[in-house]
Amino acid sequence: GFGILGSAVVALVVLAAFKSAIISDVSYVDYCWRIVLGCGAIPGIAALYFRLTIPETPRYTMDVEHDVNKATSDVANYLQKTDTTDENDGPGNHVGVPKASWSDFTSYFGKWKNGKVLLGTSMSWFALDIAFYGIGLNNGIILSAIGYADTHDADYNLRAYNSLKNMALGNIIITIMGTVPGYWVTVAFVDKWGRKPIQIMGFVVLTVIFIVMGAAFNPLKEHSIPAFIVLFTLLQVF
């Protein structure tokens, strides 16, 4: 949630820095796009560094490296909140584990009681990726549709700058009103409500809101912008 908010803030700051350049020559927007995209790579690079330097999990050590002794030692060290394992230690007690195969996959998920879990989970997220993330990547189009990004400046370059600025501000507002609260309500209640109930609740509410917004997109846009904004904010929350 804070990452999404951060991306909108970065866009707004970069636009402000290039304001005079864009007003004199709108092609400077291309520099803004490149800088914003480059800034987006920084958290990914940082995450990659930490991922490459953290110890492997005991399950990986046991199931993939087949080192039972080291996995047992890692678990013991974690439970004791100490780390006495030397990464340069020699190999421990390796065991022979049969490699997974396509036949294992088909025999397990070929049973409906197992296959339905994989099918239901993957298709639910697939549908969410197309609908929700598809909209999330095109918030600017939504903001334009409700007239928030429109400007009436006579000068084309100024109009382009103000339109992009309004889109960045709109993304910040959407994130503060919906995305960040939605994430942190889940953080606060996930252990009390349970992960599965929260997941089902989110999918059900999103389905209802998407049906309403899809069926009444034009009427909402033409006759009730506040209702459109409320529904769109609820999409971010859930």
Side-chain angles (χ1 to χ4, degrees), residues 124-136 178-179 182-183 186 197-215 230-238:
S124 295
W125 280 105
F126 179 69
L128 179 72
D129 287 343
I130 290 176
F132 179 72
Y133 293 126
I135 287 179
T179 310
Y183 276 122
T186 301
I198 284 183
Q199 189 73 87
I200 292 172
M201 176 185 68
F203 281 141
V204 169
V205 176
L206 283 176
T207 300
V208 172
I209 295 176
F210 274 128
I211 290 172
V212 172
M213 291 190 70
V230 168
L231 288 172
F232 190 70
T233 303
L234 288 175
L235 277 179
Q236 315 303 316
V237 171
F238 283 94

Side-chain angles (χ1 to χ4, degrees), residues 99-111:
K99 291 184 177 180
S101 65
W102 179 251
S103 60
D104 291 334
F105 178 86
T106 53
S107 63
Y108 183 81
F109 288 108
K111 298 175 183 176

